[in-house]
Amino acid sequence: MEANEIGIELGFLEKIDGGWLSNRYFPNKVGGKPAWLHLDDLPAQEKMICKKCEKPKAFLLQLYVPFDDDYNFHRMLYVFICRSETCYVRNNASVVTVLRSQLPLKNEFYAAEPPLETGEPLPAILPKEHKLCLACGCKSSVKCDYCEGYYCSFVHRDLHKPVCSKIGGIESCDRLSIVEFDEWEIVKDSMNDEEDITEPHAVEEQKFSKAIEELSKSCKTLTFQNLPDSDLEKYAANSELMDDKFFFKFRKECNKEPEQIIRYKRNGLPLWITDVQKTVASQLKEIPLCEYCGGERKFEFQIMPQLLNYLNDDGIDWGTLAIYTCSRSCPLPVGYAEEFVIKQDIIADIACGSNHHSSNVNK
């Protein structure tokens, strides 16, 4: 992906040989282990821990989005997310961590000339000063007594131990589905900026309302985990959402490209999934300034709920994740800087007994 000013870039998932998704090739990807850009100063372990459950967050995705200046020739954004269902609170992004890393063209890790993308992929470039966790790929500090492998925490070491003690050998300890999501490449496509985003016609509104009313009568509600390509309206079987222009706009834009999992628009605006005033308005007023340059943070990209279909984890959910980064992408004195994220959720309350539903959890 490119950090351009024209139009919106959409991201879609494709399967590819994982060898091409290493840091050597500056990948856009979901799942697997993070392909670290800066190799000398990896994120501190405390940044990767969920403050609620105190477990390591899982690597979700990364985007390669260089800027047109000397110190952002290489630029990567990383997203990590907690996998403990009990940590999720509606419209609260504490379960998500976003990191920014960047390098100039001439640096100590990568050649100035890009590697050839023909033949067999070359191996990843590993840190010289750090061992990586075999479970998640983050900075490690705990050694396994069985396989001599290293782990970021006792949590990940203990998760792998049953497999390690039965099979033995370091090769048997490098894939834990409870920690690591399936790996996909993110491929991009462009669309016209705000193309055909208009008020819905009366006929469309009537069809939308009727579908929601039918679901409400039968006490059925679908979450984003069961996303049908063309039926996003079934997610919110409640009367309040029928009048939500944000949701109708969101549904209409998603229906144009039902498999989109990323919308990238530097300095643009997110495609909100529901009424901002009722969900995240206060957060938008309090977006923190960059802690390194004091500059304004602006919207850069969002993660769509369609991605949930590929994660095979019913414990996590969101309506949309909107990421705000330093608008200058200022030079960093550290390898990885934390950026800001807003998690917006849909809350669908249905009068069926005492049940209440949200996009997945209602805390």
Side-chain angles (χ1 to χ4, degrees), residues 273-331:
I273 195 168
T274 190
D275 193 327
V276 169
Q277 290 302 317
K278 296 178 180 179
T279 53
V280 297
S282 61
Q283 297 179 55
L284 286 169
K285 294 177 182 178
E286 299 175 356
I287 296 173
L289 299 177
C290 175
E291 63 183 285
Y292 296 100
C293 71
E296 183 181 4
R297 280 190 171 100
K298 293 186 178 181
F299 173 77
E300 186 161 352
F301 77 98
Q302 71 187 97
I303 303 173
M304 304 295 280
Q306 289 90 322
L307 177 57
L308 294 165
N309 292 318
Y310 298 88
L311 301 183
N312 300 314
D313 189 334
D314 293 335
I316 60 178
D317 198 26
W318 60 76
T320 191
L321 300 175
I323 284 78
Y324 292 76
T325 61
C326 174
S327 58
R328 292 180 52 227
S329 196
C330 64

Side-chain angles (χ1 to χ4, degrees), residues 16 22 41 53 96 101 126 144 148 207 287 315 325 328 335 342:
I16 189 176
S22 77
D41 189 13
C53 66
V96 186
S101 185
L126 299 176
C144 174
E148 301 295 314
K207 290 180 180 179
I287 296 173
T325 61
R328 292 180 52 227
I342 292 177

Side-chain angles (χ1 to χ4, degrees), residues 136-183:
C136 70
C138 293
K139 185 177 179 180
S140 69
S141 61
V142 179
K143 191 175 182 180
C144 174
D145 296 331
Y146 292 97
C147 68
E148 301 295 314
Y150 284 84
Y151 293 84
C152 67
S153 62
F154 289 106
V155 173
H156 282 179
R157 186 201 66 176
D158 293 344
L159 281 174
H160 102 278
K161 259 191 172 181
V163 177
C164 182
S165 59
K166 290 179 182 178
I167 302 176
I170 199 167
E171 293 80 7
S172 66
C173 307
D174 60 0
R175 179 67 170 91
L176 291 171
S177 61
I178 195 172
V179 173
E180 187 179 330
F181 295 116
D182 288 344
E183 192 171 44

Side-chain angles (χ1 to χ4, degrees), residues 11-263:
F12 304 88
L13 296 187
E14 287 187 2
K15 276 295 184 184
I16 189 176
D17 182 341
W20 297 108
L21 298 177
S22 77
N23 59 352
R24 187 182 293 271
Y25 299 100
F26 310 108
N28 296 288
K29 69 165 190 160
V30 163
K33 296 180 176 65
W36 297 115
L37 182 65
H38 196 296
L39 297 176
D40 263 359
D41 189 13
L42 296 182
Q45 292 173 324
E46 53 265 26
K47 279 190 176 182
M48 318 306 292
I49 299 294
C50 175
K51 293 180 180 179
K52 293 188 176 182
C53 66
E54 298 184 343
K55 296 178 181 178
K57 292 178 180 178
F59 169 67
L60 180 63
L61 61 81
Q62 64 188 81
L63 294 182
Y64 182 66
V65 280
F67 281 13
D68 189 19
D69 57 49
D70 292 340
Y71 48 88
N72 281 291
F73 185 88
H74 297 298
R75 180 173 178 271
M76 196 78 77
L77 299 176
Y78 299 81
V79 182
F80 295 80
I81 193 162
C82 179
R83 297 187 69 168
S84 299
E85 181 177 1
T86 55
C87 294
Y88 280 72
V89 177
R90 61 179 179 261
N91 303 313
N92 184 312
S94 62
V95 291
V96 186
T97 295
V98 177
L99 301 175
R100 165 170 61 100
S101 185
Q102 57 209 42
L103 290 170
L105 171 60
K106 294 182 179 180
N107 61 81
E108 59 184 300
F109 310 119
Y110 308 97
E113 294 297 323
L116 297 176
E117 297 187 13
T118 57
E120 293 296 319
L122 298 173
I125 302 172
L126 299 176
K128 295 180 180 179
E129 303 298 327
H130 304 289
K131 299 287 187 180
L132 299 181
C133 175
L134 288 178
C136 70
C138 293
K139 185 177 179 180
S140 69
S141 61
V142 179
K143 191 175 182 180
C144 174
D145 296 331
Y146 292 97
C147 68
E148 301 295 314
Y150 284 84
Y151 293 84
C152 67
S153 62
F154 289 106
V155 173
H156 282 179
R157 186 201 66 176
D158 293 344
L159 281 174
H160 102 278
K161 259 191 172 181
V163 177
C164 182
S165 59
K166 290 179 182 178
I167 302 176
I170 199 167
E171 293 80 7
S172 66
C173 307
D174 60 0
R175 179 67 170 91
L176 291 171
S177 61
I178 195 172
V179 173
E180 187 179 330
F181 295 116
D182 288 344
E183 192 171 44
W184 301 77
E185 182 184 24
I186 301 174
V187 296
K188 66 179 181 179
D189 195 9
S190 298
M191 65 176 290
N192 293 334
D193 195 4
E194 302 299 323
E195 176 184 316
D196 193 29
I197 298 180
T198 58
E199 287 294 309
H201 295 101
V203 174
E204 290 180 281
E205 285 184 328
Q206 290 173 3
K207 290 180 180 179
F208 178 48
S209 298
K210 185 177 180 181
I212 289 181
E213 287 173 354
E214 290 175 354
L215 284 173
S216 295
K217 289 177 182 178
S218 62
C219 295
K220 293 179 180 179
T221 182
L222 297 179
T223 70
F224 286 123
Q225 296 285 8
N226 304 310
L227 181 69
D229 285 347
S230 62
D231 292 322
L232 278 167
E233 68 271 16
K234 294 180 182 178
Y235 280 116
N238 67 8
S239 58
E240 181 178 350
L241 211 56
M242 283 189 282
D243 298 323
D244 190 334
K245 303 303 181 183
F246 287 90
F247 184 78
F248 206 109
K249 177 180 173 180
F250 189 92
R251 180 185 69 90
K252 188 172 183 180
E253 288 304 299
C254 286
N255 282 344
K256 294 176 183 178
E257 294 289 351
E259 296 181 359
Q260 61 181 285
I261 60 103
I262 294 290
R263 292 175 71 89

